[in-house]
Amino acid sequence: MSSKLPPLSSLRVFEAAARYCSFTRASEELGMTQAAVSYQIKILEERVGTPLFLRRPRQVSLTETGERLAPVVSEAFELLRGAFAVAEDASQGLLSITTVNTFAANFLAERIGRFQFKYEDLAVRLDTSPGIIDFAREEFDLAIRAGRGNWPGLETHLLVPAEFSPMLSPELAASIGGIKQPSDLLKLPFIDPSDPWWKIWFDAMDTSSDELKCKPRSRMGTQTLEAKAAEAGQGVAILTPAFYRDSLNRGRLIQPFERVCHDGFGYWLVYPKARRNVPKIRKFRDWILLEIKEHYEREEIAITERRETDAIVY
Amino acid sequence: MSSKLPPLSSLRVFEAAARYCSFTRASEELGMTQAAVSYQIKILEERVGTPLFLRRPRQVSLTETGERLAPVVSEAFELLRGAFAVAEDASQGLLSITTVNTFAANFLAERIGRFQFKYEDLAVRLDTSPGIIDFAREEFDLAIRAGRGNWPGLETHLLVPAEFSPMLSPELAASIGGIKQPSDLLKLPFIDPSDPWWKIWFDAMDTSSDELKCKPRSRMGTQTLEAKAAEAGQGVAILTPAFYRDSLNRGRLIQPFERVCHDGFGYWLVYPKARRNVPKIRKFRDWILLEIKEHYEREEIAITERRETDAIVY
DNA sequence: ACTATGCATAAGGAGATTTAATGTATTATG
DNA sequence: CATAATACATTAAATCTCCTTATGCATAGT
């Protein structure tokens, strides 16, 4: 199918040497010594079976064969150069992120616009899917996943620790005269009584929760629906407060107890270690870590404010 | 002017791997191990900054970027393959020879046709020029030159030793009653009395030639004209018998004495040592050496025959 | 469950490539 | 005309790339 190609390294040298008609000049462009150029040309000439350059006194010139070869080699290299320049650009121009739904809905969706505004030449593809992701197997630059952050070979940044605390609508709380102590919650319906987080939280509050039977695994990632149900006053949910600051501030949900628990899980930004310095990856990483930082700074303030308000309400 | 190219060796590997969508298959085509392919692809991916293959369970497939790159890389390599195939063919298809005039006129001209007939796909360019030739500086495959055969870096084959002996037309010989002894020649005009060969020859025959004053350097390469003059009966010339076998056989010239001298000079086939195995060079070398061999075999016979004839004439 | 297939990785080494130093030839210069 | 400057060739030694061997891991097929 294909006659064997000459050594490719010698071709690159030939291309440059032919352009300049000078081994010395070519060696400068290629960042090597003149001796190396001379050597490579010799290799190529031996391979082709005929001289490619005529050694004139103070310059070399192409032989007939060299003259025919040079433009084709140049063209081929131009093709490659073009293709790779585009490929590198293109690969830098699209940032594809896969994220678990909870994080997308409660944090990323409302902020990603700012990222796109800041980096206008960077298109963002946002994919929402659960489960783990194998970067060797799927075309994503970044992933946001829930877990403990122990993924080998991947760079990880904790975005939001999966803290949790019971939440409910103010109306539901008022229906039983307010929530004064943890056991009050047990008078109300639970939106997902099987969530293991309940036990952890009640244990931390030294309150028995035997009547709830927990599932073995937490179901992080489905908080969005539970939150909607809680807002609608259908019961008490155990949620990650950081994701619902807005609802709390607007009074659509209340978090009756400051106490948050957490089980070591969290939402992580992950990507292959080897790609940590790819520009678009760096851009997103730096941006989101700053957003997170600011978010928590504002949350500090919000909590203090609510505490004061709550003191009035209850 | 040009963004740097990725390592070219990795491109060749990529091209094959993309064609097969299989590292193993590619490694077979390329004659290397699967590990080597894997390594090269990794290099390239790191260089481009993005994966080019998705590692699916039992096969790899191209990523979007890989998909865009593959056809361009293939095209570039196809270009190169084509160009070099042609160049190699072309460089094999034209044999260019530079030769000194004497040899061309007296030996090569009448035989080169047979070479061209034997190798019809080989065009021959015959250049007649004196002086030395620098293969690094001029586009010739072969040269035929007069000298002592001591050219460093060049492969040399002695074609015809520059032997010499006086020759003249039979008519001129008859005009003084035949040539019985060397001194008889001195009674006749010399076509080029300054040729240093005269002295060597007369010395070898123990005959004084003081009346001739020789130039310091022989003038090999201009024999053709002297021979013509001798045939026309204008005088005695000192010539290389091997070149005038035909004239001798036809009786247009006679060589009165068997004794030939030589001064170490000769006609040589020369070419760069490094190119000794280039097919067209090998073809010509083998062909001409055989022609020479046959020429001398026939000359042996001719000399014997002439000797018998001469015995009758004189 | 077991085998076969396909890719990844690590270590080691052969060979290719590059450099540094030097030589040769030619042109330019004082 | 001698000298300096330019450009390429050549050599040996150092370096580094690339390849192989050996091994591991995951998946698909039996």
Side-chain angles (χ1 to χ4, degrees):
Chain A
M1 159 179 207
S2 54
S3 70
K4 235 175 53 200
L5 277 170
L8 294 171
S9 46
S10 71
L11 287 189
R12 175 164 53 214
V13 174
F14 170 71
E15 194 264 344
R19 235 180 318 114
Y20 289 116
C21 272
S22 160
F23 292 3
T24 306
R25 238 51 61 64
S27 76
E28 283 157 11
E29 169 174 320
L30 298 168
M32 52 207 245
T33 59
Q34 171 269 321
V37 172
S38 180
Y39 170 84
Q40 292 291 352
I41 298 295
K42 191 180 195 179
I43 294 288
L44 183 58
E45 288 179 329
E46 265 169 29
R47 174 59 177 61
V48 174
T50 196
L52 299 173
F53 287 95
L54 293 177
R55 275 68 170 180
R56 305 293 331 287
R58 299 195 45 164
Q59 94 200 59
V60 290
S61 61
L62 288 163
T63 62
E64 212 173 304
T65 307
E67 201 78 66
R68 275 199 307 274
L69 239 30
V72 185
V73 176
S74 272
E75 187 187 341
F77 279 26
E78 227 31 75
L79 259 174
L80 293 177
R81 267 193 274 268
F84 279 91
V86 169
E88 281 166 32
D89 273 13
S91 81
Q92 302 301 351
L94 172 67
L95 177 70
S96 60
I97 307 170
T98 174
T99 167
V100 289
N101 180 57
T102 304
F103 191 83
N106 295 307
F107 190 96
L108 201 52
E110 58 207 81
R111 289 171 175 80
I112 192 71
R114 288 213 286 276
F115 179 79
Q116 291 180 293
F117 183 75
K118 183 170 181 185
Y119 297 107
E120 283 182 327
D121 50 350
L122 197 54
V124 176
R125 179 160 63 90
L126 202 56
D127 167 272
T128 305
S129 70
I132 64 161
I133 190 240
D134 182 347
F135 286 102
R137 197 162 297 179
E138 286 167 77
E139 290 188 69
F140 287 110
D141 297 310
L142 301 164
I144 292 165
R145 284 293 179 269
R148 292 204 137 84
N150 49 346
W151 291 289
L154 298 178
E155 192 73 35
T156 60
H157 304 271
L158 179 60
L159 298 177
V160 175
E163 298 173 323
F164 44 87
S165 194
M167 293 194 190
L168 69 167
S169 70
E171 293 77 19
L172 189 60
S175 73
I176 59 163
I179 310 290
K180 307 287 190 317
Q181 49 189 17
S183 56
D184 291 343
L185 292 168
L186 297 169
K187 301 170 190 162
L188 295 168
F190 280 57
I191 289 171
D192 181 3
S194 68
D195 192 316
W197 283 356
W198 283 121
K199 180 169 165 38
I200 296 169
W201 189 84
F202 278 115
D203 284 356
M205 299 300 274
D206 292 321
T207 302
S208 165
S209 62
D210 292 345
E211 38 205 297
L212 303 169
K213 26 188 165 19
C214 300
K215 284 183 186 156
R217 290 180 48 83
S218 100
R219 288 168 38 230
M220 284 171 57
T222 62
Q223 282 192 34
T224 312
L225 295 174
E226 298 179 21
K228 282 265 181 294
E231 279 191 20
Q234 296 176 13
V236 191
I238 187 153
L239 303 171
T240 301
F243 288 156
Y244 301 99
R245 204 188 66 193
D246 191 56
S247 295
L248 289 166
N249 288 344
R250 292 163 177 241
R252 294 215 279 258
L253 282 178
I254 59 171
Q255 175 189 339
F257 305 95
E258 281 185 30
R259 177 60 170 268
V260 295
C261 291
H262 95 118
D263 57 356
F265 275 68
Y267 295 89
W268 300 78
L269 174 67
V270 301
Y271 49 84
K273 269 205 168 64
R275 302 192 66 202
R276 66 178 166 286
N277 286 321
V278 172
K280 62 181 175 181
I281 289 182
R282 195 192 324 231
K283 283 175 190 162
F284 186 84
R285 180 225 300 142
D286 294 348
W287 172 79
I288 198 168
L289 291 179
L290 185 61
E291 286 282 340
I292 292 286
K293 182 160 156 276
E294 289 175 355
H295 172 77
Y296 276 108
E297 282 165 8
R298 271 183 247 128
E299 182 150 278
E300 281 301 315
I301 297 164
I303 288 172
T304 311
E305 281 172 2
R306 280 203 305 275
R307 191 177 299 148
E308 286 156 8
T309 313
D310 289 357
I312 295 165
V313 170
Y314 308 106
Chain B
M1 162 185 205
S2 53
S3 70
K4 238 176 51 202
L5 276 171
L8 294 170
S9 47
S10 73
L11 289 188
R12 176 166 51 216
V13 173
F14 170 71
E15 194 264 343
R19 241 184 305 119
Y20 289 115
C21 271
S22 159
F23 292 4
T24 306
R25 239 50 61 63
S27 75
E28 283 157 12
E29 170 174 319
L30 298 168
M32 52 207 249
T33 58
Q34 169 269 319
V37 172
S38 179
Y39 170 82
Q40 292 292 349
I41 298 295
K42 190 180 192 175
I43 295 287
L44 184 58
E45 289 179 330
E46 265 168 29
R47 175 60 177 61
V48 174
T50 196
L52 300 172
F53 288 96
L54 294 176
R55 276 65 172 181
R56 308 293 327 288
R58 299 195 45 163
Q59 96 200 53
V60 288
S61 61
L62 288 163
T63 62
E64 214 175 303
T65 307
E67 201 79 63
R68 275 199 307 274
L69 240 28
V72 185
V73 176
S74 273
E75 188 186 339
F77 278 77
E78 227 31 75
L79 259 174
L80 293 176
R81 267 193 274 268
F84 279 90
V86 169
E88 281 165 32
D89 273 14
S91 80
Q92 302 301 351
L94 172 66
L95 177 70
S96 60
I97 308 170
T98 176
T99 168
V100 289
N101 179 59
T102 305
F103 190 84
N106 295 307
F107 190 96
L108 201 52
E110 59 208 79
R111 289 173 176 79
I112 194 69
R114 288 213 287 276
F115 178 78
Q116 292 181 292
F117 183 75
K118 185 170 179 186
Y119 298 106
E120 285 183 325
D121 50 350
L122 199 53
V124 176
R125 178 160 65 90
L126 204 56
D127 167 273
T128 306
S129 71
I132 65 161
I133 189 238
D134 182 347
F135 286 103
R137 198 160 298 178
E138 286 167 76
E139 292 189 68
F140 286 110
D141 297 311
L142 300 164
I144 292 165
R145 282 296 178 268
R148 292 204 136 85
N150 49 346
W151 292 288
L154 298 177
E155 192 72 36
T156 60
H157 303 271
L158 180 60
L159 299 176
V160 175
E163 298 174 323
F164 45 86
S165 196
M167 295 195 189
L168 69 168
S169 70
E171 295 76 18
L172 188 62
S175 72
I176 58 164
I179 310 291
K180 308 285 192 317
Q181 48 190 16
S183 56
D184 291 342
L185 292 169
L186 296 169
K187 302 171 190 162
L188 295 168
F190 281 57
I191 289 173
D192 181 3
S194 70
D195 193 317
W197 283 355
W198 283 120
K199 178 168 166 44
I200 297 169
W201 190 82
F202 278 115
D203 285 355
M205 301 299 274
D206 293 319
T207 302
S208 165
S209 60
D210 292 343
E211 37 204 298
L212 302 170
K213 24 189 166 15
C214 299
K215 284 184 186 153
R217 290 180 51 83
S218 100
R219 289 172 38 232
M220 285 172 56
T222 62
Q223 282 192 32
T224 312
L225 296 174
E226 300 180 20
K228 283 269 182 288
E231 280 191 20
Q234 296 175 15
V236 191
I238 187 153
L239 302 172
T240 301
F243 288 156
Y244 302 99
R245 204 190 65 194
D246 190 57
S247 295
L248 290 165
N249 287 344
R250 292 165 176 240
R252 294 215 278 257
L253 282 177
I254 59 171
Q255 174 189 339
F257 305 95
E258 281 183 30
R259 175 61 169 267
V260 295
C261 290
H262 96 118
D263 57 357
F265 275 68
Y267 295 90
W268 299 77
L269 174 68
V270 302
Y271 49 84
K273 268 205 168 65
R275 303 192 66 202
R276 66 180 167 287
N277 286 320
V278 173
K280 62 182 175 182
I281 289 182
R282 197 195 321 235
K283 283 173 189 162
F284 185 85
R285 179 225 300 143
D286 293 348
W287 171 79
I288 199 169
L289 291 178
L290 185 62
E291 285 284 340
I292 292 287
K293 183 161 156 275
E294 289 175 355
H295 172 77
Y296 277 106
E297 281 165 9
R298 272 184 245 125
E299 181 150 278
E300 280 301 315
I301 296 162
I303 288 171
T304 313
E305 280 173 0
R306 281 205 303 275
R307 191 178 298 146
E308 285 158 6
T309 314
D310 290 357
I312 294 163
V313 170
Y314 308 104

